[in-house]
Amino acid sequence: MLSYRHAYHAGNSADVLKHWVIERILTYLAQKDKPCFYLDTHAGAGRYALTGDLANKTAEYRRGIERLRGAVAVPEVLSNYLTVVEQSLNGEQGHVYPGSPWLASKLLRAHDRLALCELHPQDYPVLANLFANDARVQTFNEDGFKKSIALLPPKERRGLIVVDPSYEIKADYAGVVKHIQRLHKRFATGIYAVWYPVVDASRVANMMAAFQRAGLKNTLRFELQTSDSSGGGMYASGMVVVNPPWTLCQDVQAGLPWLAKRLALDSSAGFSIETLVPESSV
Ligand code: SAM
């Protein structure tokens, strides 16, 4: 059932987009002294050795993060994400790419709180061990969809919820939208960031239509395409963000065109930025 292992994909172009958007949101939240809460419903193993066998099976990171390292004239909005990644890649543990939990733990402060859910029997112990000595972090070997309902609203009343399933189950495309609606009912002021892959454009179109029908005010969508769709696999990926910080759209506008050029695999590469539901909708 749980055949997906994120280690095969760590540091690919989809991770770059997702982790950069998470970095922008958490950097914004951390500007205020007030504590905040971070919830990762599908956390993975936390971080990934790019020298490992799994990462090198398809070496997706070479078409992702490796294309950004050492770049010149990097847009300012990408510099903090790239600095945190570089610290991890050059850290004591060797060539390690930070997953969303590790990235969040580096960006958040001593008085913030992190909750991480992961079901995989091999990835969960790695995740739990990684944060065993970090008092801010709770890990759960539980279904992130169910557990997130129980964890919201957080006592901090401000925070980011990242929903990042593997979409092995096709029902996840529609299920994620319903789930965000449920979470939003419990914590209407939370920021929600949903990652999605584009393998079949019609599935994504249905998902976006469902977000529009859900009508959660202030819902944005960012998408990055790296190649044409003929290869049969993921050729683009995106993030839907509900209740983004007011700075997020301008940050993405400043960085995504550069990312799209840098990560392009062929001439069909590109990006899009769209308001799915405006701030003023009912
Ligand atoms: N968020 C991670 C990151 O960016 O570094 C990557 C997560 S990966 C795309 C999805 C993860 O969800 C996998 O590790 C998988 O084992 C886990 N998973 C699948 N179904 C789950 C569920 N119902 N609850 C929690 N974790 C689940």
Side-chain angles (χ1 to χ4, degrees), residues 5-268:
R5 304 291 303 281
H6 196 64
Y8 288 106
H9 312 287
N12 68 7
S13 55
D15 260 8
V16 169
L17 173 67
K18 170 179 59 183
H19 295 153
W20 172 50
V21 168
I22 292 173
E23 179 280 319
R24 288 289 77 200
I25 296 170
L26 291 180
T27 298
Y28 175 87
L29 284 172
Q31 279 169 5
K32 271 196 189 162
D33 281 346
K34 285 186 182 169
C36 63
F37 177 64
Y38 174 82
L39 168 58
D40 213 325
T41 59
H42 296 70
R47 62 182 188 182
Y48 305 91
L50 296 186
T51 46
D53 290 347
L54 301 193
N56 283 290
K57 184 116 193 213
T58 50
E60 291 181 25
Y61 64 91
R62 294 213 183 115
R63 300 186 294 277
I65 190 63
E66 286 295 334
R67 283 182 162 226
L68 307 184
R69 300 185 72 200
V72 289
V74 177
E76 176 60 27
V77 288
L78 277 149
S79 63
N80 195 37
Y81 161 67
L82 290 174
T83 300
V84 179
V85 170
E86 227 21 79
Q87 281 163 356
S88 178
L89 289 173
N90 297 315
E92 281 171 14
Q93 306 297 319
H95 210 51
V96 172
Y97 180 79
S100 49
W102 188 248
L103 180 77
S105 75
K106 293 291 161 205
L107 294 165
L108 292 174
R109 297 86 37 98
H111 58 297
D112 296 325
R113 214 158 49 87
L114 298 88
L116 313 172
C117 306
E118 172 56 45
L119 266 186
H120 199 283
Q122 278 163 285
D123 284 341
Y124 177 74
V126 178
L127 180 76
N129 188 46
L130 189 58
F131 293 106
N133 297 319
D134 189 335
R136 304 170 302 165
V137 181
Q138 273 187 296
T139 59
F140 302 96
N141 190 199
E142 292 178 51
D143 180 346
F145 287 121
K146 284 193 187 136
K147 188 69 188 175
S148 52
I149 301 271
L151 290 169
L152 296 186
K155 63 176 190 267
E156 294 83 356
R157 296 277 160 181
R158 59 197 294 269
L160 170 64
I161 293 89
V162 173
V163 180
D164 182 23
S166 52
Y167 297 88
E168 282 175 290
I169 306 163
K170 301 301 163 246
D172 275 351
Y173 289 88
V176 157
V177 184
K178 288 199 183 107
H179 189 65
I180 295 293
Q181 286 180 277
R182 277 196 288 274
L183 296 182
H184 189 273
K185 274 196 187 129
R186 301 181 65 81
F187 180 34
T189 54
I191 302 169
Y192 297 89
V194 176
W195 177 83
Y196 64 89
V198 188
V199 178
D200 173 344
S202 66
R203 236 176 247 147
V204 173
N206 289 340
M207 185 185 184
M208 295 309 134
F211 266 116
Q212 285 174 316
R213 282 194 302 276
L216 302 175
K217 282 182 199 173
N218 203 2
T219 301
L220 302 181
R221 169 206 198 177
F222 311 119
E223 201 167 286
L224 170 66
Q225 179 169 351
T226 52
S227 64
D228 74 18
S229 57
S230 59
M234 180 176 72
Y235 60 94
S237 70
M239 293 290 282
V240 171
V241 184
V242 180
N243 286 335
W246 68 272
T247 47
L248 186 66
C249 196
Q250 65 199 42
D251 285 355
V252 172
Q253 278 165 344
L256 193 52
W258 184 88
L259 265 189
K261 261 196 201 151
R262 197 86 198 178
L263 297 173
L265 297 174
D266 63 35
S267 59
S268 45

